[in-house]
Amino acid sequence: MLLLIPLLPFLGFVINASLGQRLSKSVSGGLACLAMIAAFAVSVTSTIAMTQSSTHAVQQTVFTWIPSGDLQIPFALRVDPLSALMILIVTGIGALIHIYSTAYMHDETDGEFARYFSYLNLFAAFMLVLVLGSSFPVMFVGWEGVGLCSYLLIGFWFRKQSAADAGKKAFVVNRIGDFGFLLGMLLIFVTFGTLDFQEVAWNVTARAAEPALGGTVALATLLLFVGATGKSAQIPLYVWLPDAMEGPTPVSALIHAATMVTAGVYMIGRNAVLFSHAPGTLAIVAGIGIATALMAGTIGLVQNDIKRVLAYSTVSQLGYMFLAMGVSAYAAGIFHLYTHAFFKALLFLGSGAVIHALAGEQDIRNMGGLKNALPITYWTFLIGAIAIAGVPPLAGFFSKDEILFRTFASGHAILWTIGLITSLLTAIYMFRLVFLTFHGERRRAAHPEHPEEEEPAAHSGHAHSGGAHLHDAPPAMTIVLVVLAIGSVVAGFVGVPHAIGGSNRIEAFLEPSFEAHRTVAGEFGAAASRAPEARLELQVGDTAAQHAPAAEEVNERPELMLMAVSTGVAFAGIGIAVYFWLRHRTLADDMARRFRAVYTMLLNKYYVDEIYDAVIVQPVKQISVVLWKGFDAGLIDGAVNGVGEVVRAASGTLRRLQTGSIRTYAASLFLGVVLILGWYLSR
């Protein structure tokens, strides 16, 4: 049944892409939603089958894909605790986003509506291949596929120049990361002779850890991490993600919450054994993660586009996940990925409901006073903000606190401190967003305190309903918001730590995925390709005995103290936001004027895009122009044109011999005969 999970949304893509022009919106949208709901049902069934197995894994070999000498690659799909959690997130959250989209995109024409849903289905299908693939090449198919779909969806309104540019930017930046991923994959094959995740993990356990960065495993993991920085928007390849806001809002929710940006985090978790043998790489992962979290958090403080605030929030939260991976807290990182899917999807879709009500307005300086007009949107959005801020007992509290605790317990006090500061920033900018959007009075005037700033372009992708009478979104949108709000409240209870009487069930559930398993001999041979039915893997060793929950091994008192500190920081951030943007709004403007240089730098995102343009883009363009004029136009075109001129000149000379006179031709013929005879007689 594993093949059905990505196949169902892929069939939805095929039907909508080929017949969409002939289908009504209700049929094309309903078909796409049904495909995702069916994939979710199969995912649940497969997860239950996996949990009932004593081996923690179910695998299906569909066919032999690449048989070439030592390189034997089947197209095999595998469900274990980690991939099970991922397919439930992708299909469950993805199905909700599909349902939401049926109302949000309803103003599109039938053909554009079907095109949108075909892309959305294809995106989900590729992401499911990515997380179900049992080997690097199968993962890479999904890896490249989500990159393609991000280009198609971010640039969905391609007639809008900024959307087309953002799609190209996402595509190019991701190709840079993918090049590193590809090199890492090839190095792993050369080193271990296999590309299957479990075989690589088993083989690497026979090697000693490589504390230095010069080893083969360290180099391979560094290259893989380059790919992860592209997909999961970490320094230095994060610049595409904020621009991805040019796509429809449900696309933003799908990319940020359920699919593409989680791929890098998942890939490291999937190769936890490999990365654990490269502690130098893990240190870089943790450092890049916390630096990205802090940098994005400071930028989010001053952004004025409602979706861009959430975009930088995503970059920051992804940094938290990489911090967890870097300190070997793999379960904590995946736990945060899981909770983040609920509240980030909720926040993006809530912002979409606001944009929908305001006829495309995205500048929070032109909002305010929406609390009573959009009550469902307000309360659900508020729940999402509380969850991401880390307020107990909502979902974000448990996962974020687990990351901070594991970071501190592993001896990284500096990283923990920076993580705590980032947590403070998260609470501040999220409640700044809440207060400026929903509280106070409705603001429609220009902004005299920032006259040099341009107003953002209107949401020109399609015409939303809106006007003087504001109201909540249609039922298809509000129901999804309510469901996600409930998830944002209760999702964290699967990871209640031991320190407060829980059992951290999600950690115990995920642990087998972070260990080395060995498959049955011949599992990936010809026999497997002839028998594509699901089969169970044999596990070497008693996993449960080897990995008791780590929380039981540490003193619970420090964890309680750290939990109290992180909770206090969350409430402090909310209090700061209340003071500056709810009680004393003018103070925020005064602070912006007083620290004008810092404010301008943050507003312009540290000028990273401008630096990249000056250091990389423009030099490449100039070199390209020089090569075009000197080599392509000068040498290549000159050689081709020169040959043409020689032939043309020779043809002009020969043409003069063609006079059209029969007497001349006869004389020439006679002269030729005489010359030939003379030559023969002279011999």
Side-chain angles (χ1 to χ4, degrees), residues 115-183:
R115 180 169 70 90
Y116 169 81
F117 276 101
S118 68
Y119 292 166
L120 221 57
N121 270 176
L122 185 63
F123 201 169
F126 275 127
M127 187 65 191
L128 290 166
V129 170
L130 189 156
V131 298
L132 285 171
S134 67
S135 64
F136 279 101
V138 179
M139 171 186 274
F140 195 65
V141 171
W143 191 275
E144 291 297 288
V146 295
L148 168 65
C149 293
S150 68
Y151 166 76
L152 296 173
L153 284 167
I154 294 169
F156 179 76
W157 289 314
F158 56 86
R159 294 179 181 85
K160 184 181 176 185
Q161 187 60 45
S162 58
D165 291 342
K168 288 186 289 186
K169 186 175 183 179
F171 192 83
V172 171
V173 172
N174 273 276
R175 295 293 74 71
I176 297 170
D178 295 349
F179 182 65
F181 185 100
L182 188 60
L183 291 177

Side-chain angles (χ1 to χ4, degrees), residues 256-257 314 317 321 335-345:
H256 287 245
T314 299
Q317 297 304 306
M321 298 175 205
F335 183 26
H336 195 55
L337 184 157
Y338 156 73
T339 60
H340 178 263
F342 285 96
F343 53 71
K344 188 49 62 70

Side-chain angles (χ1 to χ4, degrees), residues 10-289:
F10 183 78
L11 290 176
F13 155 74
V14 170
I15 296 172
N16 267 328
S18 56
L19 302 176
Q21 296 284 358
R22 304 188 184 102
L23 301 177
S24 66
K25 291 177 185 176
S26 58
V27 173
S28 59
L31 177 68
C33 295
L34 184 62
M36 290 301 298
I37 293 171
F40 176 70
V42 179
S43 299
V44 172
T45 304
S46 300
T47 301
I48 293 173
M50 182 273 299
T51 57
Q52 292 176 345
S53 165
S54 61
T55 56
H56 304 291
V58 176
Q59 182 159 311
Q60 177 183 0
T61 301
V62 183
F63 59 88
T64 301
W65 179 22
I66 303 177
S68 177
D70 294 334
L71 185 61
Q72 299 290 326
I73 302 174
F75 192 89
L77 306 177
R78 187 173 189 270
V79 165
D80 66 355
L82 176 58
S83 55
L85 182 66
M86 293 299 297
I87 61 176
L88 292 175
I89 292 172
V90 174
T91 56
I93 303 294
L96 293 174
I97 294 171
H98 276 66
I99 294 169
Y100 179 99
S101 296
T102 58
Y104 190 86
M105 300 296 290
H106 198 267
D107 291 329
E108 301 291 332
T109 63
D110 288 354
E112 293 293 279
F113 193 79
R115 180 169 70 90
Y116 169 81
F117 276 101
S118 68
Y119 292 166
L120 221 57
N121 270 176
L122 185 63
F123 201 169
F126 275 127
M127 187 65 191
L128 290 166
V129 170
L130 189 156
V131 298
L132 285 171
S134 67
S135 64
F136 279 101
V138 179
M139 171 186 274
F140 195 65
V141 171
W143 191 275
E144 291 297 288
V146 295
L148 168 65
C149 293
S150 68
Y151 166 76
L152 296 173
L153 284 167
I154 294 169
F156 179 76
W157 289 314
F158 56 86
R159 294 179 181 85
K160 184 181 176 185
Q161 187 60 45
S162 58
D165 291 342
K168 288 186 289 186
K169 186 175 183 179
F171 192 83
V172 171
V173 172
N174 273 276
R175 295 293 74 71
I176 297 170
D178 295 349
F179 182 65
F181 185 100
L182 188 60
L183 291 177
M185 183 168 63
L186 296 176
L187 181 57
I188 286 171
F189 176 71
V190 170
T191 305
F192 299 108
T194 181
L195 288 170
D196 177 78
F197 292 128
Q198 293 304 314
E199 290 296 318
V200 170
W202 182 260
N203 290 337
V204 79
T205 55
R207 302 169 68 104
E210 298 178 358
L213 290 174
T216 303
V217 174
L219 179 58
T221 51
L222 274 175
L223 290 169
L224 292 178
F225 180 57
V226 171
T229 60
K231 277 291 179 290
S232 294
Q234 298 296 287
I235 294 172
L237 300 180
Y238 71 94
V239 291
W240 68 271
L241 191 58
D243 288 12
M245 299 303 95
E246 293 292 341
T249 301
V251 170
S252 303
L254 190 62
I255 291 176
H256 287 245
T259 55
M260 184 168 166
V261 298
T262 61
V265 180
Y266 169 79
M267 185 268 291
I268 294 179
R270 171 55 65 210
N271 295 282
V273 176
L274 184 67
F275 276 83
S276 294
H277 278 69
T281 300
L282 287 180
I284 292 175
V285 171
I288 292 293

